[in-house]
Amino acid sequence: MSLVRINKKLHARYGGAVRAVLHDGCIVVQGHLHKWEDVVEACQTAATKYSTTHVVNDIVCDEAKEKPMRLPSLRDKVLDGRKPDVLVIGGGISGVSIARELSKWKLDILLVDKEPDLALQASGRNDGEVHPGIDLSKGSLKHHYIRKGNEMYTQVCKELDVPFQRVGQYVCFNKGYLKPLVALYCLWRKKHDGISDTKLISGEELHRAEPNFGAEFKFAISNPSSGCVCPYGLTIAYAENAVQNGAEVALNTAVVSMQVENGEIQSVETNRGTVYPKLVINAAGVFAEDIAKMANDRFFSIHPRRGTNSILDKKAGAFMHSIASIKEITRSKTHSKGGGILHTVHDNLLVGPDAVETYEKENVATRRESIEHVFAKQKKTMPRLSERDIITYFTGVRAPTFEEDFIIEHGRKTKNLIHCAGIQSPGLTTAPAVAIDIAKMAVEMLEKEKAVEPNADFSPIRHGVPVLREMSDEQRAEMIRKNPDYGIMVCRCEEVSKGEILDALRSPICVPTVDGVKKRVRPGMGRCQGGFCSPPVMQIIAEFLGVPLSEVKKSSAESAITFGRTK
Amino acid sequence: MTQLICIVCPRGCTMHIEEKDGAYSVTGNACKRGERFAVSEMTAPMRTICSTVRTAFPEAPVLPVRVSADIPKDRIFDVMQEINHVVVNTRVRRGDAVIQNVLGLGVDVIATSDMLYTSEGR
Amino acid sequence: MRTFDTVVIGGGPAGLAAATAAHENGAKTLLVEREARLGGILKQCIHDGFGLVRFQEKLSGPEYAERFIDAFHAAGIPAMTLTFVTRIVPAHNGGFHVTLVSRDGVETVETKTLVLSTGCRERTAKQVSIHGTRPSGVFTAGTAQHLTNLLGELPTRKCVILGSGDIGLIMARRLTLEGAKVLGVYEAKPTPSGLTRNIHQCLHDYDIPLYLSHTVTRVFGDDRLTAVEIAEVDDKMQPLPGTEQIVECDALILSVGLIPENELAESLGVEIDPKTKGPLCNGQLMTSVDGVFSCGNALHVNDLVDYVSESGECAGKNAALYAGKKRREIPINASKMLSYIVPQRLDLDADNRETVLYFRSRDIQNGCTLKMLVNGEAVFTKKYPFLRPPEMERLTIDFSKYPLDAASKVEFDIEVKAK
C-alpha cells in the first residue's frame, strides 16, 4: 500500500490527528490519539500483513500511561566486565532454544532475563499447543518455520526429556454447506505445503473420536500432527541443556541501556554490571522493541495482546483427549483469535485463550470477562465444559508486530545484533527451527572475526527430574530404595515426593522458590492449588538453603510468604 | 434488658438478661451453663485463650497451649504477652504447665499436645 | 502380600475412630496416614471447643485428637504414617488391593473392607472467581493456620478474610492474638456461614467487623499482595458494579467452603451425592460399592468433630462386621427444605436399622418441625426452635419401627409455621 493511500485512510478515520511518514525504510505513524484501540487500529491501517517494511508506532496516546519496565530489586556487580561472545536477552522459549543451539559451539554464551525464573512471560503463559501449520499463508516467516518446527518436536522433546504428545487437533465446523469449500482448502494446503496428514472427517468420525464434542458439528479438519507440550517445562529444559553444555543463565538480570557506537553495540548495562558482548540477540518478547531502541535499531513496533487461559481439574481431562477449535466465519475485532480446548500433557483441560489488545506489556492480571467470554465460546465445542471445573487461570501477553509476522534478521543499522522479535503464536512450535537458523546466523557473524570451533563435548541429552507417579511399582520401589525421600509424598494432588522436590532444587538452574519448584515438579499445580503442600514445600526449600522460613519466597525477592516467627 | 449469644456450646442460644437490684434473670438459655455464662458476662466476662509457645526443638518449632481455666476477658492480651516470652526446652507432656499461675490469675498455661514427648520416640 | 480385614485410609479423627472401632469389633485393621503424625487437621486446630458433645469438656484440637490416638495405640493397632495410597483396585475375591508408597518402598496389601476417612480440602481463590494478579499473600484459612500454629510463622500483618466459615472466624481471632490486624471478615451470603458462637467469641470479642453480602473480586500486587477490591453483591451473590472499594492489606485469607476429598472413592466407582460431594451411603455408612465405607468430612462436611468421630465409629464397626450380605436399599430423600441428609439410603435387610441421621436446613428457620414422611404420610416429627444452615443437626431413627418395603418412599421435610 502506498503512503498516499495510507494517509488518505488515516485522514478519513482520524482527521489530522495521525499521519504516516517513511523514515529509514519504516512506516512511522505519528500524531496524537486518546485511546489505545485507536492507536492499534491506525497502525494496523498503515501495516501490510507479513511485509518486511514495518510500522513503527510513534503516536502519543493519552490513555496509554504505561508503567516503566519492572526491574528486579537485585543490584550487584556479578556480571561486570564480562565479555561474552553472545549475549542473549530473554529467557523465553526463543532465547533459551537459541542459547542451546549456540552451545553446540565453543562460545561464551550469556543469557539474561529480568524475571526470577525462565518462561515467566508469554512462554509460560500460553496453551502449549504445537500447531500443525495449516492456516498460515505462504511468504510469512511463520509459514516458513512451522512445518520444520512441528516435525522437530518429537526429537527435541525426546532429547530434552519433556513430555510431548501428538494428540491431534480438530477444527470443527457446524455449517455443512462449507464442506466442499473446506475440502478444497485442505487439498490446496496439502499441495502447497506438503502437509500430508491433514484430512477432512465427517461429524460421525469426529464424534466417535471425541464423543463429548457438540452434536451440531457437521464435519472437521483433522490434524494428527498437532500436539501439546508443557511450554514452561520445555523452556526450562532447553535452558538446562544449554547450561549443561557451557552456557550461563543469569536470572533477575535486566538490560537497562546500551552504548552504541559506529553501528555497533559496545556495552550493555544491566542491574548486575556492564557486559561487553561481541554479539547481542534480542529475544526480549514484549520488550523486543525497547531493546531494539536501546540498540539504535528500532524498525518495528510491538502491540501487546493479552490472552487468558483456564486450567480445569483432571476429572474434566477425561472429557476429551485432543485439541479442539471451532472455525467461525464471522470474526470479531477485539477478540480476533478463537482459542480452543486442549488436553494437556498433565491430563488437565486447558481452555482459551482470548485475545485483547492492551498497552500494558506486563499486566498479567486476569479478568472475569475473559473467562466468561472464552467459556461462552468453547461450550459450543463441548457442552459439558463447566466453569465449576476451573482450578486456576492465568493471563499472558503476546508480542506481535503490526505485520503479524516474526522478525528474524540482523540489525538493520546495528551490526552486532540479531532480532528474534514479534514472536507470537505459533512461536512455541517454530522455536526449535528458528533457533537453528539464528544460531547459524550468529556463528557466521562471529566467524568473520575468528574461527568458531564446534563444542566437542556437546550433549543434546538432558535428563529431567524423574517422575515417580508415572513409574511402575517396581521402578518406584527401586528409586525409593536408593533414596527414601522419593517415598515421602508432599503434594497429594499431583503425587510429588520430597525427593523430586530436592532434585528440582539441585537441577542445573536452581530456582529455590515455591513457584520455581512448582514449575519444575508440580507441587501446588493440582486441585488444592498448594493449600496442603505449600507449607511443607517451604520447609524443604528453607532446609535446602539453610535459611529461616520467612526467607522462602513465592517468586520474586519481594514476594515474601511469611513475616517471620510469631514469637 | 441485654441480649446475648451464648458461646458455651455450639448451639449458640440467644439469651435475654434482666437486672433487678443486682440480681439477674436469664431467659432463652437451654441449660444451666448458659445462665452462668450470662451472669458472668454481665459481671465479669471470662474467656479461654489458646495459642502456642516457642520451643527449643527444631522438629516442632511451636507447641500448642491454653489456659487451664477461663481468665478475665480484659486480661487476654496481658496473658498473650506472657505466653510470647516462653521458650519450652524440656519435652513437656500434654497438660503440663508451661507457665504456672500466670500473672497471678490463679490459672496455668498448659501444653495441649504430647507432640514434643512423642516426637522423641516413645 | 499382607492381608487385613479392614484398611482405614486417613488418620484424622474419623479414621482414628474407625480403626479403633473396627479393631474392637474383631477386624484385623491397618490405619494408613499420609502425614508423619496422626491427628489430621486437628493437629493445627489449637483452639478449644472440641469434645463438648462427647466429653462435655472444652478441649483443644490436639487434646481431642490425642485422646483418640492414645486409645488407638493402647489397642495396639498397626498404623503406617508418612504413607500414601497411590491406587486401590478391586481384588478377585471381592476385597481390594491397596498400593502404598512410603520411605520403605511400595507395598500392596489386601483387605476385605475399606474405610475412606480422607477428610476434605478447602476451596481456593480461583474457585470463587477472584481475579487480578498472582501475588504471595493469598492463603486459604487452613494454610494460614498451618503456617501460624504448626510452623510458628506469621502469614500476615494486616489482612482481609473472605468467608465467614468457622476456620475463617477462628483464624481472625488467632491472627489478632498473634499481633496481626484483621481488617474485616467479608461474606458473600446475607447470613454468616460459621457457628453463631464463633461470630461472637472470635469477631465481636476482638472488634473485628463482619460485612455480609460483600465479596472480594480482585487482588492487587505484583510481588506480595498490596490490596484487594471488595464489592457488594446482589441476591445471586454477583458483584454489583459501582460498589467496588479498594482495601489495602498484605494478605487475603479465604474461608469459602470445604470439599470432601473423594478421589480414591471415585476411582473405585463410588457414587457421589452432588449435594454433599461425599459418597451416597446407607445407614452402615457403606457406599454404593460393597465393602467400601465412608466417614467424617469425606462423607460430608461436619460442623463438629464429635460427629466426625461418631461417623468414624459407625463406619469402622460396620466394616468389621461386613459379611458380604446382599443389600436391599431404598433412598432416604431430603425435600428442598433440607440442603442434605446423610445417610442417603436405607438397607431394609440390615441387622440394625437404628440409624443416626445428619442433616442441614437449607435456610434459616425459626419454630419449625422436621417430619419423616413414608409414602407422603408423616410417621415421625420433631420440633426445632430454630434451624440454621451452618449448624448440622443429628437425630436417631430406628427404621425397624416403621413398616417399610422396597416400594416405600421415605422423605424428610421441614414444615415451617405459617406467619
Side-chain angles (χ1 to χ4, degrees):
Chain A
M1 195 164 27
S2 76
L3 202 64
V4 177
R5 264 191 71 196
I6 291 170
N7 274 318
K8 225 173 173 175
K9 276 192 174 177
L10 288 176
H11 194 81
R13 176 73 178 79
Y14 304 102
V18 285
R19 68 191 183 101
V21 294
L22 264 181
H23 182 75
D24 271 356
C26 306
I27 300 162
V28 180
V29 187
Q30 301 168 325
H32 189 147
L33 287 172
H34 178 62
K35 289 169 91 176
W36 178 254
E37 58 179 78
D38 289 333
V39 172
V40 174
E41 205 182 287
C43 291
Q44 281 170 338
T45 305
T48 305
K49 211 172 180 192
Y50 302 152
S51 169
T52 53
T53 306
H54 295 278
V55 163
V56 173
N57 169 23
D58 267 348
I59 300 169
V60 177
C61 178
D62 300 325
E63 186 186 66
K65 287 193 178 60
E66 222 225 315
K67 292 183 212 158
M69 183 170 89
R70 290 182 60 210
L71 293 175
S73 57
L74 183 67
R75 296 282 181 280
D76 63 23
K77 290 282 172 194
V78 164
L79 299 174
D80 203 38
R82 281 283 306 272
K83 292 180 175 125
D85 295 316
V86 187
L87 173 71
V88 182
I89 304 171
I93 188 67
S94 298
V96 298
S97 56
I98 293 165
R100 189 259 194 166
E101 291 309 318
L102 281 170
S103 71
K104 291 176 176 168
W105 302 88
K106 265 196 188 147
L107 291 169
D108 180 1
I109 304 151
L110 175 64
L111 182 146
V112 295
D113 195 291
K114 74 185 187 73
E115 300 293 338
D117 198 352
L118 300 153
L120 276 195
Q121 295 301 332
S123 297
R125 298 171 177 277
N126 64 79
D127 62 6
E129 179 174 356
V130 175
H131 289 266
I134 178 135
D135 54 351
L136 297 169
S137 307
K138 224 166 184 174
S140 67
L141 284 170
K142 287 180 180 176
H143 178 263
H144 177 77
Y145 285 109
I146 187 99
R147 283 313 301 166
K148 193 173 171 210
N150 179 304
E151 279 158 20
M152 284 175 73
Y153 257 80
T154 308
Q155 195 194 336
V156 163
C157 290
K158 201 175 155 200
E159 285 174 354
L160 298 177
D161 195 8
V162 173
F164 167 61
Q165 289 156 3
R166 289 196 193 272
V167 289
Q169 179 212 44
Y170 298 105
V171 185
C172 306
F173 293 81
N174 48 20
K175 302 231 170 20
Y177 61 82
L178 288 173
K179 197 169 178 179
L181 205 71
V182 176
L184 263 171
Y185 176 81
C186 286
L187 274 175
W188 185 75
R189 278 279 161 223
K190 272 189 194 182
K191 198 163 164 245
H192 278 257
D193 302 332
I195 301 171
S196 56
D197 57 353
T198 292
K199 61 181 184 224
L200 213 60
I201 60 166
S202 67
E204 207 173 80
E205 281 173 278
L206 175 71
H207 291 112
R208 213 178 304 134
E210 292 289 4
N212 288 318
F213 279 14
E216 67 277 17
F217 290 132
K218 302 287 187 295
F219 68 98
I221 303 174
S222 161
N223 293 307
S225 68
S226 285
C228 61
V229 71
C230 170
Y232 49 84
L234 179 65
T235 307
I236 291 167
Y238 253 127
E240 286 185 2
N241 189 234
V243 167
Q244 285 170 329
N245 288 306
E248 187 186 340
V249 170
L251 298 170
N252 292 306
T253 306
V255 170
V256 290
S257 67
M258 292 183 194
Q259 201 197 339
V260 186
E261 273 166 33
N262 308 322
E264 248 183 272
I265 298 164
Q266 306 295 320
S267 65
V268 175
E269 193 75 38
T270 77
N271 55 318
R272 314 188 65 187
T274 308
V275 182
Y276 304 87
K278 290 201 182 93
L279 172 66
V280 172
I281 293 173
N282 174 12
V286 284
F287 291 106
E289 181 184 353
D290 306 65
I291 294 294
K293 195 176 174 184
M294 284 180 204
N296 239 342
D297 202 51
R298 175 173 172 249
F299 60 87
F300 58 88
S301 280
I302 302 288
H303 60 113
R305 189 158 58 210
R306 74 166 187 263
T308 300
N309 283 297
S310 301
I311 304 276
L312 274 56
D313 194 290
K314 287 184 180 184
K315 286 176 199 168
F319 295 170
M320 62 172 277
H321 306 95
S322 61
I323 303 164
S325 65
I326 336 178
K327 260 285 156 324
E328 283 177 351
I329 305 305
T330 50
R331 282 202 156 192
S332 81
K333 218 163 192 156
T334 44
H335 302 287
S336 58
K337 279 278 168 65
I341 316 173
L342 188 141
H343 182 107
T344 73
V345 284
H346 301 112
D347 291 329
N348 296 95
L349 283 194
L350 185 148
V351 184
D354 59 346
V356 183
E357 295 292 339
T358 172
Y359 56 85
E360 294 175 296
K361 293 173 186 155
E362 293 187 279
N363 186 350
V364 290
T366 58
R367 289 152 211 249
R368 206 184 161 96
E369 314 86 79
S370 288
I371 309 279
E372 284 167 359
H373 165 79
V374 164
F375 270 79
K377 184 167 175 184
Q378 297 307 332
K379 276 178 187 168
K380 291 181 207 158
T381 306
M382 192 163 70
R384 276 189 83 169
L385 208 59
S386 164
E387 287 96 326
R388 273 201 295 256
D389 290 320
I390 292 177
I391 58 173
T392 190
Y393 30 77
F394 58 86
T395 293
V397 184
R398 307 169 180 89
T401 64
F402 288 105
E403 293 69 38
E404 302 291 339
D405 199 8
F406 302 157
I407 292 173
I408 295 164
E409 62 182 79
H410 294 285
R412 291 190 179 176
K413 287 198 288 184
T414 303
K415 280 177 275 181
N416 57 342
L417 174 66
I418 297 173
H419 298 286
C420 181
I423 305 297
Q424 54 161 318
S425 178
L428 179 68
T429 313
T430 52
V434 169
I436 287 178
D437 273 11
I438 290 190
K440 210 167 120 191
M441 285 159 72
V443 171
E444 277 166 10
M445 276 185 79
L446 294 166
E447 275 191 321
K448 284 180 195 160
E449 238 173 78
K450 71 169 204 245
V452 178
E453 301 285 322
N455 178 2
D457 299 326
F458 176 82
S459 166
I461 305 299
R462 170 250 182 196
H463 293 291
V465 174
V467 182
L468 274 91
R469 67 177 166 275
E470 289 170 1
M471 292 181 183
S472 69
D473 289 350
E474 293 70 28
Q475 285 173 307
R476 201 166 179 159
E478 180 58 20
M479 294 289 289
I480 296 169
R481 197 183 59 74
K482 286 186 198 148
N483 178 4
D485 282 345
Y486 287 129
I488 300 175
M489 209 59 75
V490 175
C491 167
R492 66 220 274 174
C493 305
E494 296 291 314
E495 266 188 60
V496 185
S497 67
K498 184 180 180 182
E500 289 161 88
I501 292 168
L502 285 169
D503 284 352
L505 292 169
R506 293 185 190 114
S507 67
I509 302 168
C510 170
V511 178
T513 62
V514 170
D515 280 359
V517 168
K518 179 179 169 183
K519 282 266 164 72
R520 282 159 180 79
V521 284
R522 293 184 65 75
M525 286 281 191
R527 53 178 68 98
C528 92
Q529 286 287 296
F532 287 113
C533 68
S534 59
V537 168
M538 286 167 68
Q539 279 179 291
I540 294 168
I541 296 171
E543 210 173 290
F544 174 81
L545 296 176
V547 298
L549 275 169
S550 53
E551 287 300 309
V552 177
K553 307 294 163 65
K554 179 176 185 285
S555 182
S556 68
E558 291 72 36
S559 61
I561 300 169
T562 64
F563 295 119
R565 290 161 33 158
T566 49
K567 45 203 65 175
Chain B
M1 193 169 66
T2 313
Q3 187 179 310
L4 205 64
I5 303 284
C6 184
I7 62 167
V8 173
C9 85
R11 189 169 170 145
C13 296
T14 305
M15 303 187 290
H16 293 98
I17 304 134
E18 196 111 42
E19 197 217 309
K20 215 174 188 180
D21 311 325
Y24 296 91
S25 68
V26 182
T27 51
N29 56 309
C31 71
K32 266 278 170 210
R33 289 183 300 168
E35 188 182 327
R36 278 199 299 275
F37 171 74
V39 174
S40 140
E41 279 298 277
M42 300 307 289
T43 51
M46 304 289 277
R47 290 291 184 274
T48 288
I49 56 169
C50 299
S51 185
T52 56
V53 292
R54 187 90 351 226
T55 82
F57 306 102
E59 78 278 6
V62 283
L63 174 72
V65 296
R66 66 172 167 92
V67 285
S68 57
D70 287 357
I71 57 162
K73 191 177 158 185
D74 57 10
R75 300 301 299 276
I76 287 174
F77 284 95
D78 298 333
V79 173
M80 275 305 296
Q81 280 271 320
E82 297 301 305
I83 287 173
N84 288 345
H85 289 132
V86 174
V87 177
V88 172
N89 45 29
T90 54
R91 292 193 180 269
V92 295
R93 298 205 60 175
R94 187 167 84 231
D96 289 352
V98 300
I99 307 175
Q100 279 176 345
N101 190 14
V102 60
L103 294 173
L105 294 169
V107 302
D108 297 338
V109 174
I110 57 165
T112 63
S113 171
D114 264 350
M115 62 193 286
L116 293 180
Y117 177 75
T118 49
S119 66
E120 203 182 29
R122 190 166 40 163
Chain C
M1 196 189 302
R2 288 201 290 164
T3 59
F4 296 91
D5 296 321
T6 301
V7 168
V8 179
I9 298 167
L16 286 163
T20 309
H23 173 83
E24 281 168 1
N25 284 279
K28 186 184 172 197
T29 305
L30 172 69
L31 177 66
V32 180
E33 165 56 39
R34 201 176 57 84
E35 292 191 43
R37 287 198 289 140
L38 295 174
I41 211 70
L42 286 181
K43 297 194 295 293
Q44 66 186 54
C45 298
I46 63 161
H47 55 282
D48 73 327
F50 299 92
L52 277 163
V53 178
R54 196 177 186 98
F55 300 117
Q56 284 81 50
E57 277 184 75
K58 265 197 325 193
L59 301 172
S60 72
E63 286 172 296
Y64 183 94
E66 288 178 20
R67 286 199 181 183
F68 284 84
I69 295 169
D70 290 349
F72 171 85
H73 285 313
I77 307 163
M80 289 175 76
T81 53
L82 266 188
T83 301
F84 186 83
V85 176
T86 56
R87 189 170 69 240
I88 305 175
V89 291
H92 298 301
N93 56 7
F96 303 92
H97 287 162
V98 183
T99 302
L100 306 163
V101 167
S102 71
R103 281 171 299 182
D104 299 327
V106 183
E107 183 189 4
T108 298
V109 299
E110 188 173 287
T111 182
K112 286 185 192 135
T113 59
L114 277 167
V115 177
L116 303 176
S117 43
T118 44
C120 58
R121 65 172 177 269
E122 298 175 278
R123 287 175 83 196
T124 66
K126 302 292 163 75
Q127 287 172 317
V128 291
S129 194
I130 293 175
H131 284 276
T133 52
R134 278 184 159 193
S136 61
V138 181
F139 303 102
T140 59
T143 307
Q145 192 177 47
H146 185 147
L147 293 168
T148 312
N149 293 348
L150 294 179
L151 303 181
E153 287 284 316
L154 194 63
T156 175
R157 294 191 187 109
K158 190 168 89 172
C159 69
V160 155
I161 296 181
L162 176 63
S164 56
D166 288 311
I167 325 167
L169 303 176
I170 296 288
M171 280 313 289
R173 174 178 64 182
R174 183 77 192 102
L175 291 165
T176 306
L177 283 176
E178 294 300 341
K181 175 82 187 153
V182 179
L183 298 171
V185 174
Y186 294 83
E187 168 62 57
K189 291 199 227 89
T191 54
S193 301
L195 297 173
T196 313
R197 66 192 290 255
N198 283 337
I199 303 284
H200 284 261
Q201 62 180 355
C202 298
L203 302 188
H204 294 181
D205 275 4
Y206 296 88
D207 297 323
I208 299 166
L210 171 66
Y211 302 94
L212 298 170
S213 299
H214 279 73
T215 194
V216 171
T217 44
R218 280 173 78 80
V219 299
F220 301 94
D222 293 319
D223 302 294
R224 176 78 189 192
L225 186 139
T226 56
V228 296
E229 179 187 82
I230 286 169
E232 290 174 32
V233 298
D234 61 19
D235 49 9
K236 291 192 184 79
M237 293 203 282
Q238 293 304 304
L240 287 164
T243 63
E244 299 87 354
Q245 47 163 321
I246 307 292
V247 176
E248 281 180 25
C249 52
D250 65 27
L252 169 64
I253 292 170
L254 297 151
S255 173
V256 288
L258 302 169
I259 307 164
E261 290 236 273
N262 281 295
E263 279 66 39
L264 280 174
E266 285 176 69
S267 77
L268 286 164
V270 164
E271 213 177 314
I272 300 292
D273 180 351
K275 291 182 194 165
T276 58
K277 313 263 190 300
L280 284 164
C281 283
N282 64 19
Q284 285 62 47
L285 297 185
M286 183 154 78
T287 67
S288 63
V289 175
D290 285 339
V292 179
F293 295 78
S294 175
C295 57
N297 280 349
L299 174 60
H300 65 124
V301 175
N302 290 252
D303 61 342
L304 297 182
V305 71
D306 309 68
Y307 300 133
V308 166
S309 301
E310 183 182 48
S311 71
E313 280 162 353
C314 176
K317 178 184 165 193
N318 286 303
L321 300 177
Y322 176 68
K325 209 167 89 178
K326 262 223 163 299
R327 34 182 170 163
R328 196 160 56 97
E329 286 181 349
I330 57 167
I332 301 173
N333 296 303
S335 83
K336 279 191 179 151
M337 299 296 285
L338 282 69
S339 59
Y340 70 77
I341 193 158
V342 168
Q344 301 89 337
R345 282 168 186 178
L346 174 69
D347 181 2
L348 295 171
D349 294 340
D351 298 330
N352 178 6
R353 276 182 281 158
E354 189 174 325
T355 304
V356 178
L357 294 149
Y358 307 99
F359 74 91
R360 285 179 198 257
S361 170
R362 200 193 57 190
D363 301 307
I364 297 179
Q365 304 294 0
N366 287 308
C368 54
T369 307
L370 179 84
K371 288 171 146 187
M372 177 176 136
L373 307 161
V374 176
N375 299 326
E377 215 169 295
V379 297
F380 169 90
T381 59
K382 187 178 176 184
K383 285 199 163 62
Y384 287 88
F386 54 80
L387 287 173
R388 301 186 194 115
E391 288 156 33
M392 199 181 79
E393 297 295 334
R394 171 194 187 275
L395 96 151
T396 309
I397 290 195
D398 187 353
F399 284 101
S400 60
K401 280 193 194 159
Y402 306 100
L404 296 170
D405 59 36
S408 301
K409 293 214 172 344
V410 178
E411 187 184 65
F412 283 83
D413 190 18
I414 297 167
E415 191 180 79
V416 185
K417 269 187 236 151
K419 273 181 194 161

